[in-house]
Amino acid sequence: MRLVSVWSPKGGGGKTTLALHLAGAMVARGVRVLLVDLDPQWSARLIGETGSLPFSVLPGWPTSEPKVDVIVADYAPGYSEAPEVGTVVVPMQPSPLDMNSTMRALEVLRRSEGLKVIRVLNMVDLREVEQRDLAAYCLRQGEVEKIVKRRSVYRRSLGAGHTVHSAEASALHGAREAKGEVDALLDMIL
C-alpha cells in the first residue's frame, strides 16, 4: 500500500482540493483509494458525506489496515504533524509570501529519508503577468515540479460532490483541461 500526502504549513493553498481530485484521478485509473482527512475543518469529509465520490473519506487514520492500493492523506496546515513516509505533494499559491513560507517549511520534510516531495505551484492565473512570469521562473529554476492553473471547475465539481474525473463533471467547462492537469500530477506521483 502506498501513501500520498498533501501537506503545507499554510492554509489556503488548495490541499484538500488537490487531495480530492488526485484521489478521483486514481480511481479513474482503477486504483483502490482511501482518503484520510486529517484537517480539523474536515472539508474533505464533508464532500465525502454529501457527494457521491468513488472512494471513501475517513476523519483520521484508519484503525485497521484498509484494503486499498493508496491512502491519500489530506493534512492540516502547520508544522505539528508532517508526513514522514511516501510521497508528499506540497501546494503553494503563486505569491512571494506563500512561496517563501512554504519553501522554508520544506526543511521539515527533508529530515525524512526516502520521502518523495513534489512541489506544486497551485491556483496559478496565467492571465496575470506576474503569476505567469513567476510560474515560468519557478519551473526554469527547479523550484516547483508542477503548475496547476486556477480553474473554477475544480471548485464547481467539488461543490456538486464530484471530482473532475467523474462522469457528472465531464460536461462542466474546463473539465477536460483540469483532468489533464491532475493526470499529469498523478503521473509524477505514481
Side-chain angles (χ1 to χ4, degrees):
M1 178 174 36
R2 295 187 62 180
L3 175 62
V4 176
S5 301
V6 184
W7 175 85
S8 175
K10 295 183 61 60
K15 291 181 299 299
T16 299
T17 299
L18 274 179
L20 286 161
H21 287 295
L22 282 169
M26 289 178 195
V27 169
R29 291 188 187 186
V31 176
R32 295 174 302 158
V33 178
L34 170 66
L35 192 143
V36 294
D37 190 347
L38 305 175
D39 191 331
Q41 292 181 22
W42 284 346
S43 298
R45 178 182 170 197
L46 178 65
I47 299 291
E49 289 175 349
T50 60
S52 58
L53 298 174
F55 52 87
S56 295
V57 179
L58 286 182
W61 294 107
T63 55
S64 60
E65 187 167 334
K67 292 180 169 68
V68 297
D69 303 310
V70 177
I71 291 179
V72 175
D74 179 21
Y75 274 80
Y79 293 93
S80 61
E81 190 178 349
E84 297 179 357
V85 297
T87 301
V88 183
V89 176
V90 182
M92 61 190 105
Q93 287 202 36
S95 79
L97 292 175
D98 285 349
M99 292 180 67
N100 287 334
S101 173
T102 302
M103 292 298 195
R104 283 193 317 271
L106 290 174
E107 291 303 317
V108 172
L109 299 179
R110 289 190 180 105
R111 295 181 200 143
S112 299
E113 290 184 30
L115 194 63
K116 179 179 179 181
V117 177
I118 300 173
R119 299 162 299 175
V120 177
L121 196 56
N122 198 27
M123 299 186 279
V124 178
D125 187 344
L126 293 179
R127 296 171 301 179
E128 293 186 21
V129 173
E130 294 84 5
Q131 289 191 24
R132 186 172 55 241
D133 290 348
L134 180 62
Y137 174 81
C138 288
L139 282 173
R140 271 195 319 273
Q141 298 299 316
E143 293 183 10
V144 297
E145 285 76 33
K146 182 70 180 132
I147 304 288
V148 174
K149 295 178 187 175
R150 177 180 300 278
R151 297 181 188 277
S152 61
V153 69
Y154 290 125
R155 294 183 310 279
R156 286 194 338 260
S157 60
L158 290 178
H162 312 290
T163 72
V164 293
H165 282 78
S166 70
E168 296 86 353
S170 63
L172 295 175
H173 175 74
R176 184 174 47 83
E177 295 83 1
K179 284 170 59 175
E181 281 184 337
V182 175
D183 284 337
L185 177 56
L186 184 56
D187 289 340
M188 299 177 94
I189 294 168
L190 301 177

